[in-house]
């Protein structure tokens, strides 16, 4: 049975905003999905110094510490940035670049997208950024119409292959809590319903197939073991449609957090891996870990070692911690 070490990580504003014309890259904005061309790829380093050296070094260290085969990423500006980060920073700390890179332009007004780094073959990829509530038959949140886009960023659908067997991933980054968790909950609930519809389109029997929804969902179903009944993630979990891997595999509820909100001193599990029921059965006791060595010191609940250079608030790897798990799967024969 194939085995995969899979991570998810919100890199926090992995951007390289600059004047591409001054760097000698004509029309780079039109080439963001074609970074393997000699014109762009050869000049990536020329514009990469706009990224924070300290923060991005720590981000790469945290990602390398997962030792993942595949990592789903959130808050990446574009494919050029992802390529430069992989080849210049991740390669330094992990020993080599991932090499496989996927990113499609999404809907976020700040230009932050979801993406994927992979050491195993990516055999299928599809963006759902342009799907509307109407096309997915999802009731829009109040104030929105059926013609509005269902995702604040994207739901990136990717198939990866290990030993000739394919597994499907759905990489997400749901609406933030900016404006208040309860006031924004219905948008995340609609996004969760949209993801569920997409999985239903892909698989006639979702419960009997193997797939994973992962990413930053900007919501939680519990805080320190106290269950909440107002989560925007309920459509994915309430009736057993998917299984929350961390809740199943990490016994101590105080050890499930991936994010510390300093203002209210809340340690929340915003980053998740949701497994299909079939895949959960195949992984009753998976090896799962949350890498917190890149967390700033204000996240005082973590008392373990930190990477050199971490500060009280900054520098840091991210405001999120990467989560990584080793999973077994049967998958589908590839090519099908």
């Amino acid at each position: 049975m194939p085995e995969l070490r899979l991570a998810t990580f919100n890199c926090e504003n992995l951007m390289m905003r600059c004047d591409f014309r001054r760097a000698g890259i004509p029309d780079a904005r039109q080439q963001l999905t074609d970074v393997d061309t000699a014109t762009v790829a050869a000049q990536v380093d020329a514009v990469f110094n706009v990224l924070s050296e300290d923060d991005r070094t720590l981000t790469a260290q945290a990602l390398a510490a997962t030792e993942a085969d595949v990592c789903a990423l959130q808050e990446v500006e574009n494919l050029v940035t992802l390529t430069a980060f992989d080849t210049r920073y991740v390669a330094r700390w992990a020993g080599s670049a991932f090499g496989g890179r996927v990113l499609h332009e999404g809907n976020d007004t700040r230009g932050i997208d979801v993406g994927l780094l992979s050491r195993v073959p990516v055999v299928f990829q599809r963006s759902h950024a342009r799907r509307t509530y109407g096309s997915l038959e999802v009731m829009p949140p109040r104030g929105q119409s059926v013609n509005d886009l269902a995702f604040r960023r994207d739901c990136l659908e990717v198939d990866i292959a290990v030993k000739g067997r394919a597994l499907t991933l759905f990489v997400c980054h749901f609406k933030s809590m900016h404006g208040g968790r309860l006031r924004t909950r219905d948008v995340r609930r609609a996004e969760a319903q949209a993801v569920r519809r997409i999985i239903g389109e892909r698989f006639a029997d979702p419960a009997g197939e193997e797939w994973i929804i992962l990413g930053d969902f900007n919501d939680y179903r519990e805080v320190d073991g106290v269950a909440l009944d107002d989560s925007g993630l309920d459509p994915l979990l309430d009736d057993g449609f998917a299984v929350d891997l961390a809740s199943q595999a990490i016994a101590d509820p105080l050890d499930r957090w991936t994010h510390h909100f300093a203002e209210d001193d809340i340690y929340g599990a915003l980053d998740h891996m949701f497994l299909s029921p079939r895949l959960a059965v195949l992984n009753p006791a998976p090896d799962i870990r949350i890498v917190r060595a890149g967390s700033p010191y204000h996240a005082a609940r973590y008392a373990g070692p930190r990477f050199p250079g971490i500060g009280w608030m900054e520098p840091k790897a991210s405001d999120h911690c990467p989560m990584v798990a080793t999973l077994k799967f049967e998958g589908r024969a590839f090519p099908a």
Side-chain angles (χ1 to χ4, degrees):
M1 188 181 301
E3 189 172 89
L4 175 74
R5 190 159 178 82
L6 176 67
T8 183
F9 188 19
N10 182 322
C11 295
E12 190 186 11
N13 297 322
L14 184 61
M15 300 177 178
M16 61 177 200
R17 303 286 169 88
C18 67
D19 186 342
F20 284 89
R21 291 169 297 179
R22 291 182 60 188
I25 303 178
D27 300 321
R29 287 293 179 185
Q30 283 71 52
Q31 299 185 49
L32 295 179
T33 58
D34 190 24
V35 298
D36 288 328
T37 64
T39 302
V40 178
Q43 300 183 64
V44 161
D45 283 348
V47 298
F48 203 67
N49 60 0
V50 298
L51 291 178
S52 162
E53 184 73 15
D54 290 340
D55 285 344
R56 292 318 161 202
T57 295
L58 293 167
T59 304
Q61 283 184 268
L63 179 55
T66 67
E67 300 181 304
D69 303 309
V70 176
C71 187
L73 300 176
Q74 303 85 49
E75 295 201 13
V76 182
E77 183 177 16
N78 50 49
L79 197 52
V80 172
T81 304
L82 182 60
T83 299
F85 178 62
D86 186 29
T87 57
R88 179 167 175 172
Y89 282 85
V90 175
R92 179 190 308 166
W93 293 100
S96 64
F98 277 82
R101 296 176 284 267
V102 179
L103 186 146
H104 296 259
E105 292 299 309
N107 302 322
D108 189 274
T109 56
R110 289 192 294 144
I112 54 173
D113 299 315
V114 300
L116 191 87
L117 290 174
S118 181
R119 298 189 186 280
V120 302
V122 176
V123 296
F124 175 80
Q125 56 181 280
R126 173 165 56 192
S127 167
H128 292 280
R130 308 313 296 174
R131 298 296 300 269
T132 63
Y133 294 116
S135 71
L136 291 166
E137 299 182 350
V138 170
M139 180 69 68
R142 180 177 298 180
Q144 298 188 47
S145 79
V146 293
N147 295 319
D148 288 331
L149 299 174
F151 295 108
R152 285 299 177 272
R153 283 93 181 186
D154 195 1
C155 173
L156 176 62
E157 181 181 354
V158 177
D159 287 1
I160 55 93
V162 180
K163 296 181 178 178
R165 310 296 292 184
L167 177 67
T168 301
L169 311 177
F170 298 91
V171 184
C172 300
H173 185 187
F174 282 5
K175 162 71 178 171
S176 76
M177 294 190 200
H178 182 70
R181 176 172 172 268
L182 294 183
R183 291 184 60 185
T184 57
R185 176 192 57 194
D186 287 348
V187 178
R188 289 186 294 277
R189 188 185 298 272
E191 288 185 285
Q193 291 170 339
V195 173
R196 182 166 176 159
R197 291 282 189 178
I198 287 169
I199 294 173
E201 290 178 350
R202 177 70 188 271
F203 302 112
D205 176 23
E209 297 285 352
E210 296 171 39
W211 44 263
I212 306 172
I213 315 165
L214 71 168
D216 174 8
F217 295 84
N218 274 313
D219 212 338
Y220 33 76
R221 303 237 305 170
E222 64 174 19
V223 176
D224 293 344
V226 179
L228 305 176
D229 60 1
D230 57 1
S231 174
L233 309 183
D234 291 346
L236 294 175
L237 299 167
D238 266 353
D239 60 354
F241 179 77
V243 176
D244 183 359
L245 182 63
S247 296
Q248 172 181 283
I250 301 176
D252 183 357
L254 298 182
D255 196 34
R256 295 175 189 151
W257 62 275
T258 61
H259 179 272
H260 178 235
F261 184 54
E263 185 175 332
D264 294 329
D265 197 30
I266 294 176
Y267 292 84
L270 302 183
D271 306 87
H272 302 274
M273 294 185 189
F274 299 134
L275 275 57
S276 72
R278 171 62 182 161
L279 196 57
V281 168
L282 294 175
N283 293 275
D287 172 23
I288 183 170
R289 186 163 61 98
I290 299 171
V291 177
R292 300 192 175 105
S295 302
Y297 279 95
H298 71 71
R301 179 179 291 180
Y302 174 66
R306 285 175 164 84
F307 300 131
I310 293 290
W312 178 253
M313 295 291 288
E314 294 179 344
K316 61 183 184 299
S318 173
D319 56 349
H320 291 249
C321 303
M323 175 188 292
V324 59
T326 300
L327 301 169
K328 296 178 180 179
F329 68 98
E330 294 177 339
R332 305 176 304 281
F334 175 79

